[in-house]
Amino acid sequence: EVTGRSRQVIWLLAAAGALVLLVACANIAGLCMARAVARRKELALRHALGASRWQLLRVGLAENLVIGFAGAALGLLLTGAVLPLLRHLLPADFPRAQEISLSGMSALLAAAIALVTVFVAGLLPSGFGSTLESQRATSGRDSRKLRTLLVAGEVALAGLLCAGALFLLRSYREIGARDHVLQPAGVLTFQLT
């Protein structure tokens, strides 16, 4: 009722946002894994000096939490700056376009997604760190293999995002070019009681 024929466009925009969010979360997890690999000697030394696994995990989570809060705050600021541009770019007949805003619930959802991403990205390296710790003398070849896998994953997700963006652009053009049968020109409407 509220969105009318723009419902498909709204779903397409939501799908595009979800794809971007998926790629961003995967990038964050990949960066955390790469940082854990780079710090494996330091973490092994801390463990040898008596730090428990929980203490090492807690330090990593605290670092990721600071990064996550900074990223969420920057994302919310960027969203606030881009929303007026989005309202300007939407078609004139887009329903309730001027009501699009960053609500408290949207900000809370963005913060929750950032926290979950940071938490998961912080736990992944700790599980991976145990396998690294069990291999006491990890060669440079193994770390190169891991980097290659991380880069391949990033490229695959970027390709997925590009393919999704092309699909969404094509769908948006098809929706705009579709003849909607109803011709409102020269039509008079009224109500009788």
Side-chain angles (χ1 to χ4, degrees):
E1 290 254 343
V2 173
T3 59
R5 65 188 179 105
S6 299
R7 179 180 177 141
Q8 290 174 320
V9 176
I10 292 170
W11 279 111
L12 287 173
L13 290 173
L19 277 175
V20 170
L21 180 65
L22 175 69
V23 170
C25 291
N27 282 338
I28 290 170
L31 289 173
C32 289
M33 292 285 284
R35 194 172 77 200
V37 168
R39 295 179 60 190
R40 70 177 177 255
K41 289 181 182 175
E42 173 199 342
L43 295 175
L45 181 63
R46 285 184 182 201
H47 185 68
L49 291 174
S52 69
R53 191 169 171 83
W54 168 244
Q55 288 172 328
L56 296 175
L57 179 65
R58 197 172 57 195
V59 169
L61 283 176
E63 290 173 358
N64 287 347
L65 217 67
V66 170
I67 293 169
F69 275 127
L74 186 64
L76 290 173
L77 288 173
L78 186 64
T79 301
V82 169
L83 275 178
L85 177 66
L86 174 68
R87 281 189 228 113
H88 178 71
L89 291 176
L90 287 173
D93 62 342
F94 198 85
R96 302 173 74 176
Q98 297 308 316
E99 295 178 29
I100 296 174
S101 65
L102 182 62
S103 67
M105 187 60 81
S106 300
L108 189 63
L109 178 65
I113 289 172
L115 287 177
V116 167
T117 302
V118 163
F119 187 73
V120 170
L123 288 179
L124 281 176
S126 70
F128 184 73
S130 65
T131 61
L132 286 177
E133 194 176 301
S134 66
Q135 301 172 348
R136 195 177 279 182
T138 304
S139 66
R141 194 182 82 211
D142 290 340
S143 66
R144 277 193 298 273
K145 267 198 246 182
L146 179 65
R147 282 191 201 122
T148 304
L149 285 174
L150 288 174
V151 169
E154 298 288 329
V155 169
L157 284 172
L160 175 69
L161 181 63
C162 288
L166 289 174
F167 172 74
L168 291 173
L169 182 64
R170 190 187 73 186
S171 298
Y172 180 73
R173 284 185 179 166
E174 286 177 6
I175 289 171
R178 187 180 300 160
D179 183 19
H180 296 286
V181 180
L182 180 66
Q183 300 296 328
V187 175
L188 175 66
T189 63
F190 59 91
Q191 291 182 344
L192 290 175
T193 54

